[in-house]
Amino acid sequence: MPIDESRTFKPINIALLTVSDTRTAKEDTSGDILAERIVQKGHILIYRHLLRDDKSALVAQLHQWIDDEQVDVIITTGGTGLTGRDITPEALAAVKDKDIPGFGELFRYLSIEKIGTSTVQSRACAVVARGTYIFALPGSNGAVKDGWDGILDTQLDSRHRPCNFVELIPRLLEK
């Protein structure tokens, strides 16, 4: 899909959250990949945190960032699998106004080329919550690359045509 170079790129403010019981900030390679791509694209990485797989803590963090007028987008990595500790989609469900079902569908479509039918184990998803986009990616390095390179890189680019998420930000709270 084309980037219209005649249009001006509009950087957005992104908060990045890694959800993991096993990683430390030093070991957060998937978070590092996303942070690097966010900044390289020209966006502003406004916050970056790591939280354990705890639904109430995750919901509280999401609410804090949703209510922060500086945050346009939240990207999470981790906690989207099928185990009992994987609670990121449930946390998004607790804060959402609307689902963005095409995000998870497209993520799994892109992922099938790399991991085959194992993609059905991913619960990658996206929502809108009080005017803020939230995208939940799996925690593997490959998954965050697929999610950013295959979807978010262009959809978070205000020059992408025929449409993109950025141009809708001012209208997300319309009634």
Side-chain angles (χ1 to χ4, degrees):
M1 296 292 134
I3 296 295
D4 183 348
E5 298 291 345
S6 70
R7 297 179 63 94
T8 302
F9 176 80
K10 296 177 187 167
I12 57 173
N13 295 329
I14 300 176
L16 176 58
L17 181 64
T18 298
V19 181
S20 177
D21 282 341
T22 59
R23 293 183 191 176
T24 65
K26 276 185 152 181
E27 301 163 333
D28 183 18
T29 56
S30 60
D32 291 341
I33 290 166
L34 282 170
E36 180 179 310
R37 280 168 161 73
I38 288 165
V39 172
Q40 281 181 345
K41 182 69 178 192
H43 297 299
I44 300 147
L45 182 60
I46 193 163
Y47 300 114
R48 181 174 177 190
H49 292 306
L50 188 142
L51 281 179
R52 297 184 58 75
D53 293 281
D54 177 283
K55 184 179 174 187
S56 59
L58 179 50
V59 167
Q61 181 63 72
L62 292 174
H63 278 303
Q64 181 181 345
W65 283 346
I66 292 164
D67 292 336
D68 186 331
E69 290 184 13
Q70 294 181 67
V71 176
D72 299 309
V73 170
I74 300 166
I75 301 174
T76 71
T77 175
T80 61
L82 299 174
T83 73
R85 299 289 300 155
D86 292 321
I87 46 77
T88 302
E90 288 75 18
L92 269 64
V95 301
K96 74 176 182 179
D97 296 320
K98 292 183 179 185
D99 289 303
I100 308 172
F103 179 82
E105 294 162 359
L106 180 55
F107 175 84
R108 285 178 283 282
Y109 172 80
L110 296 171
S111 178
I112 199 167
E113 293 180 12
K114 302 202 172 111
I115 64 169
T117 60
S118 296
T119 194
V120 301
Q121 294 183 29
S122 169
R123 297 187 305 143
C125 59
V127 302
V128 176
R130 298 190 308 279
T132 303
Y133 290 113
I134 308 173
F135 303 100
L137 295 170
S140 74
N141 290 351
V144 297
K145 289 175 186 176
D146 290 347
W148 181 269
D149 298 345
I151 306 170
L152 295 175
D153 179 60
T154 53
Q155 278 299 297
L156 296 179
D157 189 325
S158 57
R159 304 167 300 165
H160 183 263
R161 296 287 159 248
C163 56
N164 59 75
F165 287 131
V166 177
E167 65 192 4
L168 296 176
I169 290 173
R171 299 182 54 211
L172 292 176
L173 292 174
E174 287 180 346
K175 298 281 181 191

